[in-house]
Amino acid sequence: MKLLLSAFALRTWGARIEAAAPKGSLSFLTAEDALAADGSSDVDIAFMTREVTGKSSSGNPTPELQGFDAVVRKSPKLKWLQIHPAGAERPIYRELRARGVKVTTASGATAVTVSHSVLGALIAINRRFPLLADAQRRHAWEPRLGERSPRDLRGQCAVIVGMGPIGRNIARLLKALDMRSIGVRRSAEAVPECDRTVAYAELPAVLPEADVLILCCPASAVTRGIANAGAQGFAVHQCLARRDRGREGRHRRASRRQARRRLSRRVRARAAR
């Protein structure tokens, strides 16, 4: 059995991977060596690690990612590709599945660390840490009063869209802050970590209860457009935290711009009255 991986991954984890396999049953080929030849390979498995995708973005792949993709495409014996992200929305993954290649993700591997990032963001935003940091940089004493006052997290409600490992872990952590959580998923089947669970179609009905909207769902036909301008403009003071993935993020960024413009018009209209 032969495994394709990057030269960095071979140096870093090659010995551990080899030790986990039956002795003499595994050999390695790096994408760099394959590309130095004619780009083809006879590998059975490919392992795409984080440094391969590097700083790639949608529509702007790095040379490392382009090279790895090229070798994978010219690997007729490939049966399995393991990737590091939690989502597998890139076109090449659909292409490989059509060839009969099994594509597996690392869903859940970063659930704890991503959840901690969301928790940190919620605390920072509600307790006005960015205002403190800005005042500190300017050496200014600016008491947080009026609209700048910190908000208590206790009693707030978080609507969490996506009940995979990340969403469930976020809901569990929010309980420690005495926050309520409403989970949104494919079905309304109860999730132990949440106080309440609804289906995706019911998101508009629960948004008025939300102080925080947290997106941690994969891009799919079901979730595409779920956080449009209408959802993101649901109130002036509420907070949107995105931990989702896939090309849907581009649509959501455009939707947020539309929501901000609509909100600005609303605020100006109120001020003129």
Side-chain angles (χ1 to χ4, degrees):
M1 185 166 56
K2 184 175 289 188
L3 173 65
L4 175 73
L5 71 177
S6 71
F8 174 86
L10 179 59
R11 291 193 306 271
T12 308
W13 301 293
R16 291 173 61 185
I17 294 172
E18 188 172 23
K23 189 173 182 180
S25 66
L26 184 66
S27 61
F28 299 98
L29 173 68
T30 68
E32 290 83 350
D33 285 344
L35 288 168
D38 62 355
S40 64
S41 82
D42 59 349
V43 298
D44 306 282
I45 305 171
F47 183 21
M48 183 183 288
T49 43
R50 182 68 182 88
E51 81 289 341
V52 172
T53 54
K55 297 180 179 179
S56 297
S57 60
S58 178
N60 186 30
T62 60
E64 292 81 6
L65 180 58
Q66 289 178 318
F68 200 96
D69 286 351
V71 176
V72 165
R73 285 191 169 102
K74 295 180 71 174
S75 301
K77 293 176 58 181
L78 184 66
K79 296 293 187 294
W80 175 24
L81 170 65
Q82 171 66 45
I83 61 176
H84 73 85
E89 293 88 16
R90 293 181 62 227
I92 189 172
Y93 303 145
R94 294 193 292 272
E95 177 186 327
L96 291 173
R97 288 187 179 117
R99 276 175 42 189
V101 177
K102 187 176 185 64
V103 179
T104 54
T105 71
S107 177
T110 60
V112 172
T113 52
V114 170
S115 301
H116 289 172
S117 295
V118 172
L119 187 65
L122 290 181
I123 293 173
I125 291 169
N126 280 276
R127 302 308 299 170
R128 310 300 199 206
F129 288 176
L131 295 180
L132 290 174
D134 179 61
Q136 184 184 48
R137 281 192 298 270
R138 293 183 285 106
H139 303 285
W141 171 251
E142 296 176 349
R144 294 170 295 162
L145 303 173
E147 292 184 353
R148 299 167 59 90
S149 297
R151 301 179 67 213
D152 290 335
L153 287 160
R154 176 181 293 178
Q156 287 194 35
C157 176
V159 171
I160 306 171
V161 183
M163 283 286 102
I166 293 174
R168 289 173 183 245
N169 204 58
I170 291 171
R172 182 181 61 81
L173 292 175
L174 295 185
K175 286 185 182 294
L177 300 176
D178 291 327
M179 290 180 65
R180 291 190 302 118
S181 62
I182 299 175
V184 184
R185 58 184 307 204
R186 287 180 178 271
S187 73
E189 182 181 352
V191 173
E193 293 85 352
C194 293
D195 297 284
R196 181 176 156 206
T197 311
V198 301
Y200 285 132
E202 298 176 74
L203 175 60
V206 299
L207 279 177
E209 301 180 47
D211 296 285
V212 181
L213 174 60
I214 302 172
L215 305 179
C216 44
C217 54
S220 71
V222 176
T223 62
R224 189 157 296 118
I226 198 168
N228 55 26
Q232 295 179 36
F234 61 98
V236 175
H237 296 296
Q238 283 138 327
C239 166
L240 169 67
R242 276 194 59 231
R243 299 309 306 173
D244 57 337
R245 56 191 183 268
R247 60 183 179 180
E248 184 63 12
R250 298 197 302 275
H251 303 301
R252 289 182 181 134
R253 285 191 288 274
S255 296
R256 282 201 298 277
R257 289 193 294 270
Q258 295 169 13
R260 283 196 295 269
R261 286 195 292 267
R262 191 174 69 250
L263 176 58
S264 178
R265 289 195 297 269
R266 237 166 39 208
V267 171
R268 289 197 302 269
R270 289 176 186 171
R273 289 176 189 154

